[in-house]
Amino acid sequence: SASNLRRRIYAANREAARFFHETLFTEAGKSQLEYLIRRNIPLKMIKHFGLGAAPDDWHALENHLKAKGFNRDELVAANLLRFSEKDGKRYYYDAFRAKVMYPVIDLRGNVVAFGGRVLDDSTPKYLNSSDTPAFKKSKNLYGLNLAKNSGSETVILTEGYMDTIALHQAGFDNAVGALGTSFTADQA
């Protein structure tokens, strides 16, 4: 059913966020952690936002999530796994590789999507989750789950992940970011 699939996507995303966060503090996440340190993001903010690292590996996340009981169809629906077809055969691979990972969390605390940033100047700079049964990019804001607890009746709208984190670090915990899309009426 649709609600069961949505529940499985939330669970897969939560486990993926945990995997990415833990990977950040291993050899496989070393360059991503160095990137965040170079950008002056302290450990406190890395933990506060649950930042992580997608390893430079085509199957690390898939293998981890399959070991946790998720199947390929669920992972494709969650936009964590992609596939290409060649000679009538499907080849699956992790959607995010060699990236700094920004989990997107909704107001209920569900991890609904991810943004991934490349470590060099290649383009596109950011790869964001596509819409899924659990996520509509045009209806979500980065950091809204944290800003709702700020006590402020206003929000500061930023362009994206790093600006939002920088403002929170500076004490503006009512900052939120657009998710790499044009700002929509639903987001407003």
Side-chain angles (χ1 to χ4, degrees):
S1 73
S3 67
N4 189 44
L5 178 60
R6 196 167 29 254
R7 193 177 51 74
R8 292 295 288 166
I9 289 172
Y10 289 146
N13 282 343
R14 184 172 51 253
E15 189 55 47
R18 190 175 292 129
F19 172 80
F20 292 141
H21 186 67
E22 289 170 1
T23 299
L24 186 62
F25 303 102
T26 68
E27 191 59 35
K30 186 175 178 221
S31 51
Q32 290 90 327
L33 183 58
E34 287 171 354
Y35 168 83
L36 290 169
I37 290 167
R38 270 196 317 277
R39 295 291 305 265
N40 297 312
I41 306 297
L43 194 57
K44 179 182 168 195
M45 284 291 125
I46 288 171
K47 289 186 171 168
H48 191 58
F49 281 90
L51 305 183
D56 191 3
D57 183 307
W58 290 89
H59 302 285
L61 182 64
E62 176 187 12
N63 292 337
H64 175 79
L65 292 175
K66 280 167 73 178
K68 296 282 184 182
F70 295 95
N71 66 49
R72 281 183 166 163
D73 290 340
E74 291 167 333
L75 301 180
V76 168
N79 208 240
L80 295 170
L81 200 60
R82 299 202 169 134
F83 63 86
S84 60
E85 297 196 29
K86 187 176 177 192
D87 302 326
K89 196 170 176 218
R90 278 190 176 179
Y91 296 91
Y92 291 86
Y93 56 92
D94 289 357
F96 297 98
R97 295 173 310 286
K99 295 195 171 24
V100 174
M101 297 302 295
Y102 302 85
V104 177
I105 300 169
D106 71 10
L107 288 171
R108 290 184 209 85
N110 295 308
V111 179
V112 292
F114 293 93
R117 190 198 191 283
V118 296
L119 297 169
D120 56 23
D121 292 327
S122 63
T123 55
K125 190 189 295 185
Y126 283 94
L127 175 66
N128 295 302
S129 294
S130 302
D131 285 358
T132 71
F135 171 68
K136 295 283 173 271
K137 201 178 295 185
S138 63
K139 293 184 185 295
N140 283 272
L141 291 164
Y142 182 67
L144 190 59
N145 60 310
L146 299 170
K148 77 171 187 185
N149 300 322
S150 70
S152 175
E153 300 210 357
T154 61
V155 295
I156 300 170
L157 180 65
T158 73
E159 190 178 356
Y161 309 110
M162 291 301 279
D163 295 337
T164 301
I165 293 167
L167 283 172
H168 277 254
Q169 190 177 326
F172 297 96
D173 56 1
N174 59 333
V176 298
L179 294 170
T181 58
S182 301
F183 195 61
T184 67
D186 284 328
Q187 287 171 316

